[in-house]
Every structure is written in C-alpha cells, then in structure tokens.
Amino acid sequence: MDYRRLVAKLMPSRKREAEVKKLGKRYIGYKVHGHPFSTATRRVLAVLLEKGLLYEPITVDLKSGENKREAFLSLNPFGQVPVFEDENVKLFESRAITQYIAYLHSARGTQLLSLESDETLATLTMWMEIEAHQFDPFASRLTSEQVIKPLYGLETDHTVVKENEAGLEKVLDVYEKRLGESRFLACNTFSLVDLHHLPNLQYLLETPTKRLLENRPRVRMWVDEITGREAWKMACDQEKSWFGKQRKDDTTGKAFKMPCEQAKSWFGKQRK
C-alpha cells in the first residue's frame, strides 16, 4: 500500500506534509493531561497505543480537585480529563480526541476508521453515537457506583445499580443481535466503536454486573476479544502507560490493584 498516497487523499492539505514526514516515526509531541484510572483518559491512551505513538502523560490529581483549578480550567473549562495537546491544537472530550488521532494517523498502526465508502463511515459513526448515548450513560453510572465510589470510601447505591443494570440489559440485547451479524459492532474489524466501549467494560468485569455480559454468548466473546488486545492491556497498566513505575496509594503506601492489571481474563482463567 502506498501510505503517502493514502495520506494525501485523507488529510487536509495543511496536515498532509507533516503527516507524511511522520510516517514510520513515533511522534512525541503529544501531551495527555489526565489520570490513568480515568475511563476517558484510558480511551485516549488506547488509541495512542493502537497507533504506536509516544506521548507525554501529565497527571491531574482528581482527588485534590486539581481539575477544578484555574490552571486546568484554562485547558478545559468544564474541568474534566483528559485534555490532549498536539502543538497548537488543544482538545478535550475523549471521543473527539480518539477520532482526531485515528484520522490524522490513519496510515499507521491499527486501522480504526472505516473510510472505504460513505456507507461504512456512516455505519461506524452511527455505532459511535450508540456507544455514547445508549451504552455509556448506564455503564458509566454502574462504574461510578461500584468502582469509583468505593475508592473514595463512599457506599454503593444498590437501587441506582439495579435501575442502570435494567437499562444496560436492553442495550446488550441489541448488541447480542448485532454481533450475530458482525464480528465487531460496526463492521468485521476492530474499530473506534469497540475501543470506545473498553474503559467501562473493563471496570464492569470486576463487578457483579459482569453477569450481564456473561449471559450473552456473543457479547461475552466480543468483550473477551477486545479486552485481550495488547494495546488495551498496556493502556490499563499504569506502570507501562503512565508513571513508568509502580503507582502507590498516597495514604496506605500500598500498590493499587485495579482492573486490567492482572494477567487474567474476565472469567478468572489465565489469558493466553
């Protein structure tokens, strides 16, 4: 494949020359302001690692409220991580960031966007919207209640869990049917659609909600396949993807033990 010709077709003129020069190199000008346990931050890390790109991780201390201070608000006025910097380009909202990276680097690494035709691109866009507006509201609330709140010493609201599991089940029923037609949600190859699901799925696999995934054979196979990707496992390993050393709990001095840091599949079997 002539990557230079492909880039010339896909990229706006102002980006073409720069991207052609980067082909075959690992661009190191990117900065990611976030936190390695943040689902949205991991979404961005996953696409960078799928593309084989280097980046500078900049930790935002969410526990102390650093994300609500003026210095960070100047990067994202909504006070949420991550923020992505590419020289003069500054982006927030993780899904917008992943699309920017996947489009800009479409000629390298894993092909995460289906650009063969208007139809395939429209289908991929549709399923990205489904993830953001149908799956994520339920999955994020379940992650918050069962994973995030306990980390802050807060009690899980089991009524909220029950209500959101009921909503998630309906979404997963649609997924089960779809995965009978396609290996992955948008098409027969791994794409941004599947990648966008990964952060919440990984956390939910460590909660009782995992039964909703286990009870649907096609969903179960899909989840096992996408969570087993090497780039994703690296995104979840804060030693490799963020700190370069074992992260310690500031209070106890013990290492965090978080989902995706164990070399096990979600059913407790050794991952091959």
Side-chain angles (χ1 to χ4, degrees):
M1 178 181 292
D2 187 339
Y3 286 156
R4 294 173 184 270
R5 183 175 299 176
L6 177 61
V7 169
K9 288 182 179 179
L10 297 176
M11 298 297 151
S13 58
R14 70 182 185 84
K15 283 289 187 179
R16 289 176 191 163
E17 184 178 352
E19 175 60 14
V20 168
K21 289 180 180 178
K22 294 173 193 172
L23 289 173
K25 300 179 180 178
R26 303 179 75 190
Y27 186 49
I28 60 175
Y30 297 141
K31 295 180 181 180
V32 180
H33 303 258
H35 195 285
F37 295 158
S38 154
T39 54
T41 300
R42 284 186 175 184
R43 191 173 287 122
V44 172
L45 296 183
V47 73
L48 286 166
L49 292 164
E50 287 283 356
K51 290 295 183 180
L53 296 165
L54 294 177
Y55 55 91
E56 178 186 353
I58 302 171
T59 303
V60 179
D61 189 344
L62 303 178
K63 184 175 288 188
S64 71
E66 184 181 353
N67 55 310
K68 302 300 182 181
R69 297 171 190 160
E70 186 58 36
F72 185 80
L73 292 175
S74 66
L75 296 173
N76 181 356
F78 295 103
Q80 298 174 326
V81 296
V83 171
F84 177 82
E85 291 189 81
D86 174 11
E87 297 178 342
N88 294 327
V89 176
K90 292 181 175 62
L91 300 173
F92 45 89
E93 294 299 331
S94 62
R95 294 170 184 82
I97 297 168
T98 62
Q99 291 178 67
Y100 173 81
I101 296 168
Y103 181 68
L104 182 62
H105 294 285
S106 59
R108 67 180 298 138
T110 306
Q111 302 305 303
L112 297 169
L113 288 171
S114 298
L115 300 170
E116 296 86 359
S117 69
D118 293 341
E119 180 180 352
T120 56
L121 182 58
T123 300
L124 186 143
T125 302
M126 178 184 74
W127 279 98
M128 284 195 288
E129 290 292 307
I130 291 170
E131 182 277 329
H133 300 292
Q134 303 295 332
F135 173 84
D136 187 75
F138 299 119
S140 288
R141 182 62 65 85
L142 288 166
T143 295
S144 176
E145 287 292 335
Q146 299 177 97
V147 179
I148 306 302
K149 284 177 69 173
L151 286 176
Y152 285 86
L154 302 174
E155 291 187 8
T156 296
D157 187 329
H158 295 288
T159 299
V160 172
V161 170
K162 185 176 180 180
E163 291 173 351
N164 282 275
E165 283 189 340
L168 183 61
E169 283 207 86
K170 294 178 181 179
V171 176
L172 293 177
D173 286 341
V174 174
Y175 283 20
E176 181 72 8
K177 182 178 179 181
R178 170 60 178 170
L179 291 167
E181 304 165 352
S182 177
R183 179 178 174 184
F184 297 94
L185 283 177
C187 53
N188 284 317
T189 58
F190 180 78
S191 73
L192 277 185
V193 172
D194 310 291
L195 184 148
H196 285 177
H197 285 79
L198 278 167
N200 279 312
L201 282 175
Q202 190 69 59
Y203 279 126
L204 292 179
L205 292 176
E206 301 294 326
T207 74
T209 300
K210 73 176 182 179
R211 72 185 187 283
L212 306 185
L213 308 171
E214 294 173 340
N215 292 340
R216 293 165 173 80
R218 296 187 184 97
V219 169
R220 170 180 171 170
M221 291 177 60
W222 169 68
V223 171
D224 201 34
E225 181 166 3
I226 66 175
T227 56
R229 296 183 67 83
E230 289 304 315
W232 175 243
K233 290 189 285 185
M234 185 176 292
C236 294
D237 185 337
Q238 77 273 17
E239 183 177 356
K240 294 179 180 178
S241 69
W242 200 265
F243 295 108
K245 59 184 178 180
Q246 185 66 32
R247 173 66 170 171
K248 302 288 185 176
D249 184 289
D250 295 333
T251 302
T252 66
K254 296 180 180 179
F256 278 107
K257 186 179 182 182
M258 297 295 287
C260 202
E261 292 178 359
Q262 305 168 25
K264 295 180 180 179
S265 72
W266 49 302
F267 293 112
K269 298 179 181 179
Q270 188 69 30
R271 190 180 295 282
K272 302 284 183 156

